[in-house]
Amino acid sequence: MSRISIEQVKHVAHLARLAITEEEAAMFAKQLDAIITFAEQLNELDTENVPPTSHVLNMKNVMREDVPTAGLPLEDVLKNAPDHQDGQFRVPAILE
Amino acid sequence: MSLFDYRVSELHSLLHKKEISVSDLVDESFKRIHEVDEKVQAFLTLNEEQARTKAKELDEKLATEKEFGLLFGMPIGIKDNIVTKGLRTTCASKILYNFDPIYDATVVERLHQADAVTIGKLNMDEFAMGSSTENSGFQLTRNPWDLERVPGGSSGGSAAAVAAGEVPFALGSDTGGSIRQPAAFCGVVGLKPTYGRVSRYGLVAFASSLDQIGPITRNVEDNAYLLQVISGVDPMDSTSANVDVPDYVSALTGDIQGLKIAVPKEYLGEGVSEEVRQSVLDALKVLEGLGATWEEVSLPHSKYALATYYLLASSEASANLARFDGVRYGYRTDNAKNLIDMYKQTRSEGFGNEVKRRIMLGTFALSSGHYDAYYKKAQKVRTLIKQDFENVFEKYDVIIGPTTPTPAFKIGEKTSDPLTMYANDILTIPVNLAGVPGISIPCGFVNGLPVGLQIIGKHFDESTIYRVAHAFEQATDYHKQKPTL
């Protein structure tokens, strides 16, 4: 049985905001299925009482004083924007 | 003979004796780039005008001042996923084809403070996802030892540029082997520091719990100088560690008497070619001759590292790469009906297939109903892999094995099946999962192709790695071999 169907691939692509063709959906389904099947070898291990790694070093929360500092100049912020107007990023219509 | 056959300490003495100038060093870089980069294709962007101006400034400084940075006058190439203010930074992705960073990464700032000269930006697998640099959205970098072969990846441009004598120094980044594997394939020295040793501020994130920036050079001494400059805690990266930075160069004593080496049986077993195995065993004999001892050990969870890595790295990537949406920077599609459609078209046109594959794998592994079975399971296995290393390091100083199962493979040889390509990294990935440091140094040749020896150390013990690597280098001449281009 395959681990991931073409329909699931389309759903995941939608969640990830990727447009894929029917052909690509079939290709990714086959490749992702192979990778996920391979990954299921982890089930050979009993990890019931193993804590998940949250950080490789014994570092916990890193805190600093909450001191306001200057933000980026607006000109810099907009410098790489594909489209902007009146100091704001401009995007296509949000509602149909 | 190239000026880059000298080590940094030798170049500094030549500079102070006025036998060479910084401009000579920068000229040497661009001369070589203009000679060979058409073949090697390591650089994506050159910084020629600014580099020559900087060289003149440094030459003036040399004549008038007394204090010099640790990398004074040294030409350096920078992997194209490390942001450089005013110098195009693309991650070798079409989605960032025109990205002009508004700030310098912390490592780049530290290079400026150390008086190094940025020569240009180096090719890589798109967003550092790959093991051959074939996933670059722009060009195919070739291995200087055999132009029909890959330089490794993802820091393939960095390793190839150093091997080809275009720059004596380069920065790479390593998430699952992306510094060490190309260093092995190109016959140069590449170190992945301890997680947290080097600030990631300004490194375009792939998998934040695994990524580290590190040095690629021709020899161990140069490598130690470069690590010295880029190491240390940074308020801009809360995962950078507040741990003292030792003097790495002073660790290069040549003395490894009494050193205890562990050789994991999993690193010389199935999948590792006989020639690579033999090169490593020969290297161990050299180290024994210098007073070290070695024993076989086991890292029993090694075989699970690859699966663990692809689940975790892809999950983190799926979150990190969500920012590329055509709104604030980079490419935006011309033909979008509405906002969601704009996101989708932009990302589909801007990302290559390997990046899409990993984003989808990660999205799947994190999605409701699959999170426990895949992502959380992998984080638990990561703990077991980390414990394997802790157990071995209770009794041994370093772990040694090959960097890669085989020398460099042919261009196109492994592109059709993702899993075959991923298998290249079986010996480097566990190191990232455990967060420990590891280096690859040249330890032999198979049919004219370099073989890499991997030396792995304890957390924050890069000094011992360098000491062993340097002692081996002093006793051999593999690092002096140069490709004919």
Side-chain angles (χ1 to χ4, degrees), chain A residues 62-77:
Chain A
V62 177
M63 311 297 269
R64 61 170 168 77
E65 291 301 312
D66 185 16
V67 183
T69 54
L72 292 167
L74 191 60
E75 194 190 325
D76 280 2
V77 172

Side-chain angles (χ1 to χ4, degrees), chain A residues 3-5 8-20 24-25 27-29 31-64 72-73 75-84 89-96, chain B residues 86 98-102 194-196 209 235 238-241 301 303-304 306-308 310-311 326-332 336-340 342-345 347-348 351 353 356-357 359-361 363-364 367 370 373-374 376-384 386-387 416 418-419 422 432-435 459-460:
Chain A
R3 268 48 173 196
I4 184 164
S5 66
Q8 274 177 300
V9 167
K10 287 181 186 169
H11 176 62
V12 166
H14 168 71
L15 291 176
R17 298 291 183 258
L18 291 167
I20 54 170
E24 287 171 329
M27 174 189 77
F28 285 129
Q31 291 170 338
L32 290 174
D33 186 58
I35 298 168
I36 294 163
T37 304
F38 172 75
E40 285 184 355
Q41 62 167 291
L42 299 188
N43 294 335
E44 293 166 14
L45 294 168
D46 177 6
T47 53
E48 177 85 32
N49 298 312
V50 179
T53 296
S54 58
H55 197 290
V56 287
L57 306 173
N58 290 323
M59 271 166 78
K60 291 270 156 51
N61 294 334
V62 177
M63 311 297 269
R64 61 170 168 77
L72 292 167
E75 194 190 325
D76 280 2
V77 172
L78 296 173
K79 187 176 159 194
N80 280 285
D83 194 7
H84 63 92
F89 297 114
R90 192 160 77 164
V91 295
I94 293 174
L95 299 171
E96 298 276 342
Chain B
N98 60 354
F99 181 57
D100 184 10
I102 57 176
T194 307
Y195 184 80
S209 80
S238 62
T239 65
S240 67
H301 298 93
K303 70 179 253 209
Y304 300 104
L306 197 58
T308 304
Y310 276 93
L311 290 171
V327 175
R328 289 150 299 163
Y329 33 67
Y331 173 79
R332 180 192 285 190
K337 298 194 291 283
N338 55 44
L339 184 65
I340 299 280
M342 189 280 280
Y343 292 151
K344 287 188 176 180
Q345 295 301 334
R347 289 164 63 79
S348 298
F351 291 139
N353 275 345
K356 289 178 192 172
R357 199 153 37 233
I359 289 174
M360 285 198 278
L361 176 63
T363 306
F364 175 78
S367 64
H370 297 109
Y374 297 106
K376 197 170 173 194
K377 180 79 185 182
Q379 287 290 33
K380 288 178 163 212
V381 179
R382 184 177 187 179
T383 302
L384 297 173
K386 191 173 156 241
Q387 286 168 353
S416 58
L419 279 172
Y422 297 172
N432 300 75
L433 289 170
H459 282 139
F460 298 106

Side-chain angles (χ1 to χ4, degrees), chain B residues 60-363:
Chain B
E60 247 162 67
K61 186 173 175 176
L62 185 65
T64 55
E65 287 180 38
K66 298 254 175 311
E67 297 281 308
F68 306 102
L70 204 58
L71 288 177
F72 183 84
M74 294 301 125
I76 184 162
I78 296 174
K79 188 177 181 180
D80 212 24
N81 59 350
I82 298 172
V83 300
T84 42
K85 189 175 180 178
L87 184 61
R88 194 173 75 123
T89 300
T90 68
C91 292
S93 179
K94 291 196 173 108
I95 213 160
L96 284 175
Y97 77 107
N98 60 354
F99 181 57
D100 184 10
I102 57 176
Y103 67 96
D104 275 324
T106 296
V107 291
V108 173
E109 214 168 84
R110 289 183 180 176
L111 286 172
H112 289 319
Q113 284 161 9
D115 294 329
V117 184
T118 302
I119 296 298
K121 304 301 291 288
L122 291 157
N123 198 24
M124 52 185 282
D125 285 297
E126 184 179 8
F127 285 105
M129 297 177 186
S131 312
S132 66
T133 312
E134 289 166 294
N135 293 334
S136 166
F138 301 119
Q139 67 193 36
L140 198 60
T141 299
R142 292 166 184 272
N143 191 315
W145 293 92
D146 177 351
L147 298 172
E148 297 304 307
R149 290 177 190 267
V150 302
S154 67
S155 311
S158 302
V162 171
E166 296 173 275
V167 278
F169 292 86
L171 285 181
S173 69
D174 191 316
T175 305
S178 282
I179 288 174
R180 290 159 288 153
Q181 187 255 20
F185 279 11
C186 292
V188 295
V189 178
L191 177 100
K192 183 206 85 81
T194 307
Y195 184 80
R197 176 75 298 177
V198 177
S199 168
R200 293 184 296 110
Y201 181 67
L203 171 68
V204 179
F206 158 17
S208 308
S209 80
L210 302 159
D211 297 342
Q212 268 291 287
I213 297 170
I216 299 179
T217 57
R218 279 238 178 122
N219 60 68
V220 174
E221 181 188 297
D222 287 359
N223 210 276
Y225 268 83
L226 182 47
L227 183 67
Q228 195 80 48
V229 166
I230 62 175
S231 290
V233 69
D234 173 15
M236 299 305 279
D237 173 9
S238 62
T239 65
S240 67
N242 197 358
V243 173
D244 286 343
V245 180
D247 182 342
Y248 293 119
V249 179
S250 72
L252 311 180
T253 59
D255 179 14
I256 57 163
Q257 197 70 42
L259 183 91
K260 290 195 209 112
I261 301 169
V263 179
K265 63 177 188 213
E266 293 82 3
Y267 285 30
L268 290 175
E270 199 190 333
V272 175
S273 84
E274 188 46 42
E275 293 93 338
V276 167
R277 202 178 111 89
Q278 197 50 52
S279 297
V280 171
L281 292 174
D282 291 346
L284 288 167
K285 274 197 202 106
V286 171
L287 294 170
E288 270 182 323
L290 296 168
T293 55
W294 69 271
E295 283 177 321
E296 192 175 274
V297 299
S298 177
L299 296 170
H301 298 93
S302 296
K303 70 179 253 209
Y304 300 104
L306 197 58
T308 304
Y309 173 83
Y310 276 93
L311 290 171
L312 296 179
S314 302
S315 295
E316 294 185 31
S318 75
N320 277 326
L321 272 63
R323 72 191 58 169
F324 302 103
D325 56 6
V327 175
R328 289 150 299 163
Y329 33 67
Y331 173 79
R332 180 192 285 190
T333 185
D334 287 330
N335 36 24
K337 298 194 291 283
N338 55 44
L339 184 65
I340 299 280
D341 188 48
M342 189 280 280
Y343 292 151
K344 287 188 176 180
Q345 295 301 334
T346 294
R347 289 164 63 79
S348 298
E349 292 163 25
F351 291 139
N353 275 345
E354 183 60 31
V355 173
K356 289 178 192 172
R357 199 153 37 233
R358 295 204 201 183
I359 289 174
M360 285 198 278
L361 176 63
T363 306

